[in-house]
Amino acid sequence: MDAISFGWLVLSFPVAGMLTVSLLWNRLPGRLGGWIASGAILGSFLSSIGMFVDLQDRPEHARSLVDSAWTYAATVDFKVDMSILVDPLAVFMCLVVSGVSFLIHVYSVAYMASDRGYSRYFAYLNYFVFSMLLLVLAGNFVVLIIGWAFVGAASYLLISFWYRRATATYAGIKAFVINVVGDVGLVIAAFLLLDKTGSLDYRGIFQATDNVFRVDDGTLVAACLLILLGAFAKSAQLPLHTWLPDAMEGPTPVSALIHAATMVTAGVYLIARMHPLFEMAPTAADVSAIIGTATLLFAATVAVAVTDLKRIIAYSTISQIGYMVLGVSVAAYGPGLFHLMTHAFFKALLFMGAGSVIGAMSAAQSIDRMGGFRKAMPFTFVTFTVGALALAGFPLTAGFFSKDEILGFAIARGSGYVVLAVVGYLAAFVTAFYAFRMVFRVFFRNAVPEARELEKGHLAHHEPENPASGEKEDTDVGFPGPEHHIAERSWPMKAAMGPLALLAALAGLVQVPGIDEAVDKFLEPTFADSRYADVHPSTGTEWTELGIGGLLGIAGIGLAYLIYLRRRSLRLQIRERFDALHTFLFNKWYFDELYELLFTRPVAALGRFGRNVVETDFVQGTIVGGATGVVRVGSSFARAIQTGYLRGYALMLLVGVGALALYFLISSS
Amino acid sequence: MWFEQVMFFVAAVLALAGALGVVRLRNPFYSVLALVAHLVALATLFLLLRAQFLAAAQVVVYAGAVMVLYVFVVAYIGGQEEPMRGEGGLIGSFGPLFAAALGIELCIAILGTGLDAVDSRGPDVGAGFGSPAQVGALLLQKFLVPFEAASYLLLVAAVGAVVLARRRRGLEESEARSPVGEAG
Amino acid sequence: MDVAWFLVLSAFIFCIGIAGVLTRRNPLVVLLCLELMLNAGNLALIAFARMHGGAAGQVFALIVMVIAACEVVVGLGIIVALYRHRLPIDVDELSELRG
């Protein structure tokens, strides 16, 4: 079997899983639906490995294969196929997506076990994985946009999975609307590229780029900026980031899969895929780098202040994706994508751990109410800490090797990029701080009642309520199920978190500078045409930079230790001194309020205007009423002719005959 | 020749007088009588046009049977005199005008027509023209279908008249009606 | 006499009949005026038969007479029924077939 066939298999397995689970939803006993869905993704993962093996067998220059399923449209000088492109970048993404998805499916089998919407959840999840794989395997803009849109739809379906919860449905709508803004940008960019290069295929466009566009050509920059619009909407970068924290309304495994490991990285994939365009339009690449850096600092500062556990991790995601965007914008494709991979591991792990803790807290999510779970939940504690260490970039973890390599590349590019790298280092310090803020507040300090109960072996259980607004709920379909699951008691959850912890700890070893750079080498065929392929810091410099990053990480952990464990009073003093700053950060820099003012209110007012004036008065009154009025008047005229009056009818007959005779008389004379 | 012309004018005058009488006489009974006179005048005109059988049929059937029927009905219903005033408002005033206009148009058409034969007396026809023999032969040979259709029509009309005029149970009827009206 | 004279006479009678239909209110008289119009048509038919020299026009006129008779029968039947139901014998009053 060659790589292309494996490629089609990769896409077929999730579709089969989705159809099976959704059509047989009420015939599958117990947790079978979940296992079927997980098996489908395992099939995808194994097929991705097959693709990988087959690609490695080929010579380097022949590692880009295209195949099409059918021709969507064919006209005189233009043809669009439903085609997939299998090359190292696509295979890399497929491996990451399908691998992490498989583990999250396994986790969900236990986590969602008592939910009434169990089969619906797994059908949606498989649909999402299919969409994501379609997106990364796309060979042209049409299939890309199809996958892009499907992924947005899957995100909406899963965020508002507990559909009877008002906050969840609002969050789903918010995510979808912001995603649509990005979709529009992507479609217009595709039009612009089609207009200038005459093709929608990646190969066609990239080959034509050098001939058709000058460096920093206006249309190309516009197209790249619109692509960035799409990428930033999907990857939750400034200013289109507001949907991601609200997307935490979805179940925790959904947050792990979509909003940490896979969907939000689609923007990064897109920029990396379009690298020939971005390298021809350095202006757009610089814009992307600046926004990425700004985002990573912004999100890190907010993560220091918010108190909902899942939202801290969400802001951490926004921040880390900022790193990846910075990486692929300064042409550090290998490091950027390597960070994508390691981030997928440790972020999914962090979310899984958070899910376990939330289960122990009987669905409460605020860290103000958590503490001292170290003894009650040892497995969760260890895995969560490993993930936090990787996030902080503690030496020799996966995050250590991936995060700072990006900054090293930025420094090697020189000039303005060094500033971005410095900001990145600053944010790394803050990252380590908030990562261990979480660890210390949740697992250390005094044990809260739920932790003490759990130590005695009894899982706490409160009345079901909305964690954000405190509204009372029930546990029927549309709301979470009655039972809560923790890792210590569910072997599927352990089976998922364990391997991820190992990966978070050890995955860095595939890209040790100077020793083996497996990721770079694997991705080289895709990025061989990059004009920055030779910009590479020396091994020594790289180790220095990694060292600086590691030190900053340790410093951040130390500061967190100081504030949260050693000198508790210090925390409150700082809070008082910087109260205004704290409020600013706690309210997420007031972005939500700003957008409400700028967009939501005017649009809502427009909608009200539309309903009252346009619909009621104009359409109903004037157009519909007018049309019926005209008809009524006309028919009343017609009715007036039918008087029932015999002599009137006779007169009309006479007049008619007379007129006819007159006509014939005249026309014949 | 002159006899013909004199007869024509006499008959024409009588026909027109009868027609005007039908239209203008108040009492419907008098209108019926005027029509009878008109029909007789027309029969004379038919004779002038060598249509002997038709003339006879006109007098016997039309004036003899149909008008008698009319007389019966007028007697039954009672010919009330219509009032002079309130004679149908606008239509009553303008109707005759439109009719006159049509009449003028028809005259223009007839007198200005390109049909030359109209200005002649017609071809010389033999003695048997318009005789019962000729009409009967035509009815039974060339125009058989219209003949049969006309007879069916008569049947339908007879049945229809009986149905229209029969007494229905449950409807209020005056007992003082004479049996004459029941036959319809 | 020229055929044209008969035709002109027929036209006059026809128009007088129309004037009667439009003017009179008693349905009996309206029917009588209809008879006038039919007779005018008969006269025209027979005149044309003489003009052509064929008797087809006369046969036509005969059939028209038959039809006139049938129509009179039915019309008078309606009027008698009207009278029996005590409805006004006035075409202006009988206007229920309106829209």
Side-chain angles (χ1 to χ4, degrees), chain A residues 645 647-649 651 654-655 657-663 665, chain B residues 87-89 91-92 94-95 98-99 102 104-106 108-109:
Chain A
Y645 191 44
R647 296 199 287 150
Y649 293 168
L651 180 66
L654 169 66
V655 168
V657 169
L660 207 57
L662 192 63
Y663 167 72
L665 260 184
Chain B
E87 191 62 63
I91 297 189
F94 284 103
F98 282 118
L102 183 63
I104 293 170
E105 280 178 32
L106 285 171
I108 295 174

Side-chain angles (χ1 to χ4, degrees), chain A residues 431-570:
Chain A
T431 304
F433 175 72
Y434 71 68
F436 274 82
R437 171 179 179 239
M438 275 196 293
V439 172
F440 292 142
R441 285 191 68 169
V442 171
F443 292 104
F444 287 80
R445 305 177 16 163
N446 300 327
V448 293
E450 286 89 352
R452 264 184 258 125
E453 273 186 57
L454 192 52
E455 282 170 38
K456 296 191 200 118
H458 174 247
L459 191 59
H461 188 82
H462 302 317
E463 284 301 311
E465 63 174 22
N466 185 332
S469 64
E471 276 173 53
K472 292 290 160 209
E473 300 173 346
D474 56 65
T475 57
D476 206 350
V477 68
F479 278 133
E483 291 169 24
H484 300 286
H485 303 93
I486 61 173
E488 279 69 16
R489 295 190 180 183
S490 318
W491 69 266
M493 288 165 80
K494 281 198 217 162
M497 290 164 77
L500 278 177
L502 283 173
L503 284 169
L506 302 173
L509 298 174
V510 298
Q511 177 110 328
V512 181
I515 300 184
D516 67 347
E517 295 186 352
V519 173
D520 274 351
K521 284 214 199 77
F522 175 61
L523 290 172
E524 217 183 290
T526 309
F527 297 109
D529 56 350
S530 163
R531 56 187 69 196
Y532 301 107
D534 299 321
V535 172
H536 200 282
S538 67
T539 314
T541 326
E542 266 197 68
W543 274 107
T544 320
E545 283 148 358
L546 287 184
I548 298 178
L551 281 175
L552 284 173
I554 296 176
I557 297 175
L559 182 63
Y561 177 74
L562 186 70
I563 292 185
Y564 290 105
L565 288 186
R566 274 280 136 189
R567 307 230 205 117
R568 313 269 182 93
S569 54
L570 195 57

Side-chain angles (χ1 to χ4, degrees), chain A residues 84-109:
Chain A
I84 62 172
L85 168 69
V86 176
D87 72 349
L89 175 60
V91 171
F92 180 79
M93 293 296 298
C94 281
L95 282 169
V96 172
V97 168
S98 56
V100 176
S101 301
F102 169 63
L103 291 172
I104 293 178
H105 272 77
V106 171
Y107 180 87
S108 305
V109 169

Side-chain angles (χ1 to χ4, degrees), chain B:
Chain B
M1 275 298 289
W2 61 270
F3 185 67
E4 270 190 58
Q5 291 181 330
V6 168
M7 281 311 298
F8 173 76
F9 276 110
V10 168
V13 167
L14 184 58
L16 282 172
L20 283 169
V22 169
V23 172
R24 293 294 298 177
L25 288 169
R26 296 282 114 223
N27 194 331
F29 194 69
Y30 295 158
S31 296
V32 175
L33 291 176
L35 187 64
V36 173
H38 170 83
L39 289 172
V40 171
L42 271 183
T44 317
L45 289 169
F46 289 172
L47 277 175
L48 284 170
L49 284 169
R50 303 287 298 277
Q52 302 94 295
F53 176 65
L54 260 304
Q58 175 96 328
V59 171
V60 169
V61 171
Y62 222 133
V66 178
M67 286 302 122
V68 169
L69 173 64
Y70 248 106
V71 167
F72 282 152
V73 174
V74 170
Y76 177 47
I77 291 182
Q80 306 92 308
E81 298 231 355
E82 284 175 31
M84 270 297 286
R85 287 290 135 216
E87 191 62 63
L90 267 173
I91 297 189
S93 329
F94 284 103
L97 283 173
F98 282 118
L102 183 63
I104 293 170
E105 280 178 32
L106 285 171
C107 289
I108 295 174
I110 294 166
L111 294 171
T113 182
L115 286 171
D116 291 328
V118 170
D119 288 327
S120 74
R121 299 187 61 210
D124 284 329
V125 289
F129 182 76
S131 65
Q134 190 190 26
V135 173
L138 277 175
L139 270 179
L140 289 174
Q141 287 167 10
K142 199 164 161 211
F143 297 112
L144 182 59
V145 176
F147 173 61
E148 293 297 332
S151 45
Y152 279 127
L153 187 63
L154 275 172
L155 174 67
V156 168
V159 171
V162 169
V163 167
L164 272 174
R166 72 185 158 97
R167 202 182 285 252
R168 294 217 187 106
R169 237 176 265 205
L171 293 174
E172 42 187 346
E173 284 288 347
S174 166
E175 290 84 22
R177 287 283 169 265
S178 67
V180 172
E182 287 175 18

Side-chain angles (χ1 to χ4, degrees), chain A residues 646 650 653, chain B residues 22-23 35 38 62 67 70, chain C residues 13-14 16-22 26-42 64 68 71-72 75:
Chain A
L646 180 76
L653 273 173
Chain B
V22 169
V23 172
L35 187 64
H38 170 83
Y62 222 133
M67 286 302 122
Y70 248 106
Chain C
I13 296 174
F14 187 75
I16 292 172
I18 289 180
V21 167
L22 287 174
N26 191 332
L28 279 171
V29 180
V30 170
L31 277 171
L32 284 175
C33 298
L34 272 175
E35 297 304 313
L36 270 181
M37 290 157 77
L38 280 167
N39 274 300
N42 269 357
V64 170
E71 168 229 328
V72 161

Side-chain angles (χ1 to χ4, degrees), chain C residues 10-11 18 27-28 33 40 45 51 57 61 70 75 81 84 88 90-91 96-97 99:
Chain C
S10 152
I18 289 180
L28 279 171
C33 298
L45 277 168
M51 185 181 97
C70 301
R84 285 253 208 87
D90 182 344
V91 294
E96 271 189 34
L97 277 178

